Every structure is written in structure tokens, then in C-alpha cells.
Amino acid sequence: MTYEELRQEAAKYKDTMTDFERIKAYGRGQEVDRIPLTLSVGENQAGWYGYTMAQYRSSAQVQMDVDRRCMEDFGCGGMKARVLMYAPVLGKAFGSPYNSPEDGGEYITGHLVQDYSELDSLVFDPKTAPGLPEKIRIAREIVAETEGKCRVTCSVVGPMTGAIALREPAQLMRDLKKNKDNVHKLLDLAVKSQLCWLAYVLEEFGTVGLTIFDPASSCSMIGKEAFREFSRPHMEELLAGIRKLYGRIPSIGIMGKTQDIWEDLAEMGFPSFLVDGGVDLAALKAAVGDRMGISGNVPPVDVMLKGSIDDVIEAVKQSLIRGSDSPCGYTLSIGGPLPKGVPKENMEAYVYAARRYGRGARKGQLCRGLREEGLV
């Protein structure tokens, strides 16, 4: 399909519900106009509209302009105030050296914890930590500019991902076998920092949209035994703290191999689980779909970045066929952060395919669009 053909076809499929109406009705088990989806647009896509990533990170006006233009171009999404915590952000907040390229993502240039004797001297104060007051300031400005009509979204890192923000990953992997007590201390520090951040966000904005990202807890990184010995107990501490603050447990996203810990995640009570493009949604649905919602999993690199319009459409079809009848619900999503350089027409193809093949969505049932198109 050419881009002009995509635009002509997309004009035939329009949303008839707002995002809020759709999510509310879908959660009640009612049929909705199309499958719920996430756009995953952020600083990596600032270039679509002529901005650098550094301009996006530092300006409320740029973030709002990107959101407005995405809504115009894709016909969905919404204005958001983002107070997101990723591993480089946490490392920077503790005082690790970092780099912030003009048109690239921030990254840590040196890990702070070289010796575990340093742990007791580390201080995390979100009101003064490098980078965090700026995030709050920008979010406040967006909330004020929109008269509170935007959605405030907050993500935090899971314990293991927080740990690798502070200690070099290869060293930490060795410590899992040879220095277990200190690993637990580091994980405890990571949990306390995230709860401190969430308490500050709650103080500033009230209840917000929450997600935990913990790619370092995947079996690609540490394996199921290490997950159960290290990640799970500290994740449960994090969840208990979040429940105390917000009265609920957030969704979780873990990229990489996760099949061996699906049961653990379901047992911990996560309401929804985002997986990457390598996960079989049908297997995930069969294993835990009756206990938590699932989300995914159009491949961000192989399809969204490197694929054609037709590749994107086919990937959406397959995700819907495999996942859209999950008993506790399904959200179409890109299986990981959307990389810099994704062609804008591929995002248009993603939304078009969701509207066409995901139309008539109902929790626990394959989308009516799949049936009417003869795909199932």
C-alpha cells in the first residue's frame, strides 16, 4: 500500500468515541468503536515536528505542540503531562554522571555505586535531585495551560532496573551470585527512591496514571530463579507502597523474555502486562489472560522503524488475532519504546489498522473487524 492509498483508506474509518468513553465502556464489557490502543509517542518523535529531543525534554510548550499535532495527524491520543522515571533519570537524580545530547536520549556515563559501602551515603530528594524539579515544573505548566484538562502520567522503574541505574549491569549480575546481601540493600534503595518520587507526584498532582517498567527483571537479563530471589520480593514491597499511596496497583511493562515469570506477575496482582514484539500473545493470553489484561506487541524496531506500511498493518492484524479476545481485556500497543526515526506514515498505518481490523472490540471476544474482514 502506498502512502496516498493509506490516506484514502484511513478516511473510511473514524473514531466515534473519545478515549475516555472507549476505555470506560470496554472495561464494562460493552462493544466499542475500536480496540483501545496506545501511541507511545514521546521525545523520540519530536523530530516529526521539527524539534530536537533536548527541546522536547526542556519545554512544556514543545511537549504540548507535539501532543496537539499528534492528535491532529492520528485522530487519537491526548494532551499529557509526563513525569516519567527511567533508569537514566534515576541515575542522574542520584548524582551519576550523564550525557544529554541535543538530539538523542539521555544516558548515564558512569555508575554511581562502585562500592557498596557508598550506599549509606546516598540521598534521594525528588525536590532537589538533578532533573526532577524540572520535570515537575514542566508538568505543572502543562496542567495550568490546559486548565487541568490533560492527563498526568507517571512511570517508575522496578527494583532491578533501578539497581542497574546505580551499579554497572555486569557487576550487578556477578553480585547476584557472590554479594547477595548488598544486592538486596541496593534493591531496597531503588524501591524507596521510587516510592519517594511517587509520594511527591501525588502531593503535586493527585492521582495520576501509573506504570512500572522493569526491563532488567526479564529472563533475558536475570532468569526466573534470580527474579524470584531478588526482583519479586522487592517488587512486592514497591507494590505495597504504591497501594498505600494510590489505593491501587499499576500496570507493568517488561521487555525481553518473560514467559517463565508470567505466573509470578499474575500472582502479584498486576492488572495489565505490556510485552515486547517477541512474545506470543496467544500463549500469554492462555497462561494469564484470565487474571490480568495484556498489552502489545507490534515490534518497535523490526516493524515500526524498519518495516513498510504493509508490514505495520500485518503486524497489527496478527496482534489482534492473537490477543484481542483475552478474557481480562487487550490493549493494542507497540512492544517497547518507539525508536527515534520511525516514519510518521508507519504510525498512521498502525492507527488505521487498529480502526479497521480492531473495530467492534469487546473484552473477551475477537474484534468484529477481524470477523467481517474474513481474518478469523
Side-chain angles (χ1 to χ4, degrees):
M1 182 183 290
T2 67
Y3 182 54
E4 183 57 36
E5 290 170 337
L6 171 65
R7 297 295 298 271
Q8 292 173 358
E9 283 296 307
K12 301 175 185 178
Y13 302 93
K14 300 292 185 180
D15 288 349
T16 59
M17 306 175 78
T18 66
D19 287 346
F20 178 76
E21 291 170 340
R22 183 179 305 108
I23 291 295
K24 188 175 180 180
Y26 185 78
R28 290 176 173 173
Q30 300 169 1
E31 184 175 294
V32 295
D33 58 343
R34 56 128 171 109
I35 197 75
L37 65 79
T38 60
L39 287 182
S40 303
V41 172
E43 65 178 44
N44 286 346
Q45 286 65 59
W48 285 347
Y49 304 108
Y51 300 112
T52 67
M53 293 170 69
Q55 287 173 326
Y56 182 95
R57 286 192 294 267
S58 62
S59 171
Q61 296 303 318
V62 170
Q63 291 183 25
M64 287 189 290
D65 189 44
V66 170
D67 278 350
R68 287 192 193 101
R69 293 167 77 172
C70 280
M71 286 188 283
E72 292 170 359
D73 288 340
F74 308 124
C76 58
M79 190 68 65
K80 295 179 181 178
R82 300 167 177 86
V83 281
L84 309 181
M85 177 71 71
Y86 297 127
V89 176
L90 180 61
K92 175 182 174 181
F94 267 105
S96 295
Y98 69 96
N99 194 11
S100 185
E102 180 62 33
D103 207 18
E106 292 186 306
Y107 60 92
I108 297 167
T109 59
H111 290 78
L112 196 62
V113 179
Q114 297 297 315
D115 190 287
Y116 282 110
S117 64
E118 300 165 350
L119 286 181
D120 291 338
S121 64
L122 295 183
V123 176
F124 180 86
D125 182 352
K127 296 183 180 181
T128 60
L132 298 188
E134 180 76 354
K135 283 183 173 291
I136 296 294
R137 180 193 64 77
I138 290 171
R140 281 184 192 144
E141 188 176 334
I142 294 173
V143 171
E145 289 263 355
T146 60
E147 298 180 338
K149 295 179 181 178
C150 67
R151 185 172 183 231
V152 181
T153 62
C154 179
S155 67
V156 295
V157 292
M160 192 61 69
T161 301
I164 66 168
L166 298 173
R167 186 159 173 82
E168 198 275 325
Q171 290 179 318
L172 184 62
M173 294 304 103
R174 289 193 292 270
D175 295 340
L176 296 178
K177 296 183 180 297
K178 298 181 178 181
N179 206 345
K180 295 184 177 185
D181 287 346
N182 279 321
V183 171
H184 282 294
K185 290 179 182 178
L186 182 59
L187 292 168
D188 186 58
L189 176 64
V191 169
K192 285 183 169 59
S193 69
Q194 298 309 280
L195 292 176
C196 189
W197 173 241
L198 287 169
Y200 183 33
V201 169
L202 181 64
E203 176 186 325
E204 289 288 334
F205 303 108
T207 299
V208 301
L210 294 176
T211 307
I212 297 172
F213 288 102
D214 198 13
S217 279
S218 78
C219 296
S220 305
M221 282 283 291
I222 63 172
K224 66 178 179 181
E225 292 81 8
F227 176 88
R228 289 168 183 162
E229 182 176 357
F230 295 100
S231 288
R232 178 165 177 167
H234 293 280
M235 183 71 79
E236 288 173 337
E237 293 172 14
L238 178 61
L239 294 181
I242 294 174
R243 188 186 288 111
K244 185 175 181 180
L245 286 169
Y246 285 85
R248 70 185 194 278
I249 291 177
S251 60
I252 188 166
I254 302 178
M255 304 301 105
K257 296 178 181 178
T258 55
Q259 186 165 354
D260 289 342
I261 61 171
W262 290 348
E263 279 294 326
D264 296 83
L265 299 174
E267 288 170 5
M268 282 189 275
F270 286 106
S272 182
F273 179 32
L274 168 65
V275 296
D276 72 14
V279 171
D280 184 341
L281 286 180
L284 177 64
K285 174 183 66 182
V288 296
D290 60 340
R291 285 170 285 169
M292 60 180 176
I294 63 174
S295 181
N297 67 337
V298 176
V301 177
D302 290 345
V303 172
M304 294 302 298
L305 177 64
K306 298 179 179 179
S308 66
I309 287 172
D310 289 327
D311 292 332
V312 174
I313 293 170
E314 182 61 27
V316 171
K317 288 180 188 177
Q318 292 304 315
S319 291
L320 293 174
I321 290 168
R322 291 184 165 282
S324 66
D325 60 342
S326 195
C328 285
Y330 170 74
T331 299
L332 178 67
S333 183
I334 294 161
L338 195 64
K340 184 175 183 284
V342 167
K344 192 158 151 288
E345 56 264 31
N346 278 3
M347 182 60 82
E348 293 182 49
Y350 168 80
V351 175
Y352 155 74
R355 290 187 173 126
R356 177 172 178 176
Y357 302 103
R359 66 184 184 270
R362 187 192 294 268
K363 183 164 40 174
Q365 297 182 15
L366 288 171
C367 300
R368 178 163 45 82
L370 294 173
R371 299 194 300 271
E372 291 177 350
E373 300 280 348
L375 296 175
V376 293

